[in-house]
Amino acid sequence: MKPIFLTLALFVAVAGFAQKVESLPAPNAKKMLKMSLGQTLQQRQSIREYSTKAIDSQTLGTLLWAACGINRPADGRITAPSAINAQDIMVFVCRADGTWHYEPKSHSLILITAKDLRPAVAGRQTFAGEAPVSLLLVSDLGKFRSPHMELGAMDAGYVSENICLACTALGLATVPRATMDKDILIEALGLGELQVPLLNNPVGWPRE
Ligand SMILES: Cc1cc2nc3c(=O)[nH]c(=O)nc-3n(C[C@H](O)[C@H](O)[C@H](O)COP(=O)(O)O)c2cc1C
């Protein structure tokens, strides 16, 4: 997909034209993320083996909210700190049924392509392609006054750490990764020059 297609897909979504949208159940942080911070930090670890069991939408919705969902509806700020509140990190949810963009405002997924991009996210580390979900973090550097790769990378780190901690609390397995086939992902998602894939987190239930 060329950059124009991603822009078009997002425009179409905003304008309310037909667009495949998956609404996520409201995040249930109180019930699902009740592990103490101390215990969460104690248990956080990189895990590289996953069950193929699907992740239900309530769990996925709570995980995405923890990653960078809106925690202050009054001003639209999010769970992850963000340099100059640019909220530059785009989260793509890569699954067998296609690749979706997480839209924090509507807490929903917008289909970008029907392609399963998990192998491209996995790159040479094929274990990552076995997880039912891969979360790809892309910084939209165009959201800064001038493109600032360092700020984008730091913002991606915060979102990825939120994912790591939320996975621990939810009983999910993940590992933050810089490995991926960026060229394939840029082409398939129609990313623009200032939209840079930086990190990804394969996510699955731990393998028995
Ligand atoms: C920025 C960053 C990039 C990473 N990239 C990869 C990667 O490409 N592949 C991988 O298997 N692990 C990757 N890791 C995970 C580290 O290898 C892991 O965090 C480290 O070995 C410490 O293990 P722990 O997370 O269990 O504490 C990355 C971690 C960070 C912070």
Side-chain angles (χ1 to χ4, degrees), residues 8 75 124 129 162 183 192:
L8 198 63
D75 61 6
R124 61 188 161 75
N162 277 5
D183 291 345

Side-chain angles (χ1 to χ4, degrees), residues 44-48 124-125 127 175-180 199-200:
R44 201 257 353 133
Q45 61 178 307
S46 293
I47 301 176
R48 298 179 176 82
R124 61 188 161 75
Q125 291 189 308
F127 74 82
V175 53
R177 297 170 62 249
T179 303
M180 63 185 115
L199 279 174
N200 64 78

Side-chain angles (χ1 to χ4, degrees), residues 22 47-57 59-60 63-64 92-100 109 115-119 121-122 126-136 167 171-175 200-208:
E22 182 180 316
I47 301 176
R48 298 179 176 82
E49 288 186 335
Y50 315 100
S51 149
T52 52
K53 186 182 144 194
I55 297 174
D56 57 279
S57 57
T59 303
L60 181 63
L63 174 61
L64 290 168
F92 291 94
V93 178
C94 308
R95 302 190 301 210
D97 67 348
T99 300
W100 305 72
L109 301 176
K115 283 185 197 154
D116 178 359
L117 293 177
R118 288 175 302 165
V121 176
T126 49
F127 74 82
E130 289 162 18
V133 171
S134 272
L135 300 180
L136 170 65
C167 278
L172 290 163
T174 192
V175 53
N200 64 78
N201 282 73
V203 179
W205 299 107
R207 199 182 286 169
E208 302 272 309

Side-chain angles (χ1 to χ4, degrees), residues 37 40-41 44-46 63 66-68 79-81 137 153-169 174-176 199-201:
L37 178 60
T40 307
L41 290 169
R44 201 257 353 133
Q45 61 178 307
S46 293
L63 174 61
C68 60
T79 54
L137 310 185
M154 288 187 261
D155 284 354
Y158 281 112
V159 173
S160 182
E161 178 68 348
N162 277 5
I163 293 169
C164 292
L165 294 176
C167 278
T168 305
T174 192
V175 53
L199 279 174
N200 64 78
N201 282 73

